[in-house]
Amino acid sequence: MELTKYTYMNKIAFFILLLCTFTNCSKDSDQTADPTNYTYYYPSDEATITAKQIGDGTGTLNPKGIAVANDKLYICNGDVLEVFNAKTLSYIKTIKEYTKGTTIIPLTKLSSVCIDNGRIYIGSVDSRLFVIDEITNLGINTVGNGQWWQTFVHVFGVTVKDGLLFIKEKETSIKVFETSQITDTSNWNLTPIAKLNTLQGFDEIYSMDVASGNLVVAGRNAKDYLFYNIEDIRKNAASSLTTPITPTTKPFTDAKPIAISFSNEWAVTSENVGDLNYLRIYPKEEFIGKTYNPRINASDIMGANPFGDIVGIAQVDDRLFLADNKAQKIRIIKLNKSTIAEQK
């Protein structure tokens, strides 16, 4: 993620230096020490997407999972998938149905969405995964038939990376599939190649992402980020169908992780602590090493516009897209970087 950069000179240091110049407090200007640079990061409000910007503006916005790919923003909005231009924020279309030939299935209770290798994967709480073509938006296939006692016990989170598809179910289960299992002729009742145990959980929307060879889950009920090594999943896939793989953890005392999204440099998260909801941004490699020292730790933007229940995060350059379910809107936040030079 690229950050918008601003550079300032510390006024106090400037006036001290100016005073020293006029009072000759330093006899040898060549010995003046180089300034020390301090870097600060801060978020600022840029824009919002509300129900008024969808279609004719008379509907509602109940944002849950969101994703960005190829300059398009996808928003799970109740029983439909909204599509926006991620750069101009202009509305493009609403996808209401899964359509494949003569088969039409209404989209219902959408929880999560991700895009990979030309496919859009859409999770439904009605125990089904819809897979559609990213370009045509026509159906490729479905996994699950909408009955919770079949393939899935609901679907509360979806992410995909490097040929693996991770689907969070109700309670403590994540099922793992290979994307190659899903074709235009595959059976709806696919068998997972592996299973993961999230330790705690019930029926909340769950956020997941993959970075540095790990699946990372924002485990709100476990008060922890759950780490599953991808190579370990592949190596222990068969045995995990009997005994699901447990994560490595480092629990918080109070914070409940709600959402997680990685860029090249950062782990961007939302966390709940008591009555407050925080946007927290960690250096990626520190986060992967479970050193949780956020460079941004904000419950609002400069004392105003407090964050609500952020259940989904997506990123484009220096923009963050936050699915604020409580406020019923998508908040677009800009990340800024400030370098302050202090003269010694």
Side-chain angles (χ1 to χ4, degrees):
M1 180 189 304
E2 298 178 359
L3 300 184
T4 302
K5 184 174 181 180
Y6 298 89
T7 304
Y8 301 92
M9 185 170 184
N10 186 286
K11 292 182 179 180
I12 296 176
F14 174 78
F15 285 118
I16 291 175
L17 178 62
L18 189 64
L19 180 62
C20 288
T21 299
F22 282 104
T23 60
N24 197 29
C25 64
S26 175
K27 296 181 179 180
D28 188 354
S29 60
D30 292 337
Q31 295 181 359
T32 301
D34 291 334
T36 300
N37 292 327
Y38 296 92
T39 300
Y40 300 89
Y41 302 93
Y42 62 95
S44 59
D45 278 315
E46 182 173 344
T48 59
I49 294 175
T50 67
K52 292 182 179 179
Q53 292 152 263
I54 299 173
D56 62 6
T58 61
T60 60
L61 180 58
N62 180 25
K64 292 186 177 175
I66 60 175
V68 172
N70 298 317
D71 295 336
K72 291 182 180 178
L73 169 67
Y74 299 87
I75 306 169
C76 291
N77 178 23
D79 296 333
V80 300
L81 185 70
E82 311 291 2
V83 186
F84 279 77
N85 185 299
K87 291 188 174 180
T88 66
L89 306 183
S90 59
Y91 168 77
I92 297 175
K93 67 191 300 185
T94 297
I95 302 174
K96 299 179 180 180
E97 300 168 329
Y98 167 92
T99 303
K100 181 182 179 182
T102 60
T103 300
I104 298 176
I105 305 172
L107 302 182
T108 58
K109 298 181 182 178
L110 302 187
S111 63
S112 46
V113 59
C114 61
I115 298 90
D116 179 72
N117 198 28
R119 291 176 169 185
I120 303 174
Y121 297 84
I122 309 167
S124 166
V125 176
D126 282 338
S127 302
R128 184 175 277 169
L129 177 77
F130 298 96
V131 185
I132 67 175
D133 185 271
E134 183 183 358
I135 302 301
T136 66
N137 298 155
L138 295 177
I140 296 172
N141 215 325
T142 62
V143 184
N145 68 347
Q147 296 177 325
W148 67 265
W149 60 89
Q150 297 288 344
T151 313
F152 302 118
V153 183
H154 312 301
V155 173
F156 290 111
V158 174
T159 196
V160 61
K161 184 75 170 181
D162 296 333
L164 292 182
L165 173 66
F166 303 93
I167 299 180
K168 176 69 176 75
E169 292 188 292
K170 186 178 181 180
E171 297 177 336
T172 62
S173 175
I174 294 176
K175 287 180 176 174
V176 185
F177 299 84
E178 291 179 327
T179 56
S180 60
Q181 291 177 265
I182 304 172
T183 68
D184 60 356
T185 59
S186 57
N187 190 283
W188 61 265
N189 194 21
L190 292 180
T191 300
I193 66 164
K195 292 182 180 180
L196 313 178
N197 186 332
T198 61
L199 305 179
Q200 297 189 46
F202 194 59
D203 59 359
E204 303 89 352
I205 302 299
Y206 263 66
S207 176
M208 307 179 284
D209 202 357
V210 175
S212 302
N214 294 276
L215 171 70
V216 183
V217 180
R220 63 173 76 191
N221 292 316
K223 292 186 177 180
D224 196 3
Y225 292 101
L226 315 178
F227 288 75
Y228 305 85
N229 182 270
I230 300 297
E231 288 305 312
D232 287 346
I233 293 173
R234 293 185 184 275
K235 183 170 65 175
N236 299 300
S239 61
S240 73
L241 297 176
T242 301
T243 304
I245 297 169
T246 56
T248 58
T249 61
K250 184 182 177 181
F252 294 99
T253 57
D254 52 1
K256 295 181 180 181
I258 307 298
I260 176 72
S261 176
F262 289 100
S263 69
N264 290 332
E265 297 180 80
W266 305 100
V268 182
T269 75
S270 69
E271 299 172 13
N272 170 262
V273 181
D275 295 331
L276 296 176
N277 297 289
Y278 288 88
L279 172 68
R280 288 177 171 163
I281 301 180
Y282 304 85
K284 179 180 175 181
E285 293 309 314
E286 288 185 17
F287 184 93
I288 293 296
K290 301 183 182 63
T291 296
Y292 300 127
N293 178 24
R295 298 303 189 268
I296 290 179
N297 180 35
S299 60
D300 54 36
I301 301 296
M302 299 181 183
N305 299 324
F307 293 115
D309 186 15
I310 301 169
V311 297
I313 299 171
Q315 307 178 49
V316 176
D317 298 328
D318 62 351
R319 280 179 167 180
L320 294 179
F321 295 83
L322 310 179
D324 193 331
N325 187 260
K326 183 176 181 180
Q328 302 287 280
K329 62 185 177 182
I330 303 296
R331 295 184 63 166
I332 296 91
I333 305 298
K334 178 171 280 191
L335 296 180
N336 305 286
K337 177 179 178 180
S338 173
T339 300
I340 299 177
E342 290 191 358
Q343 189 71 47
K344 292 182 179 180

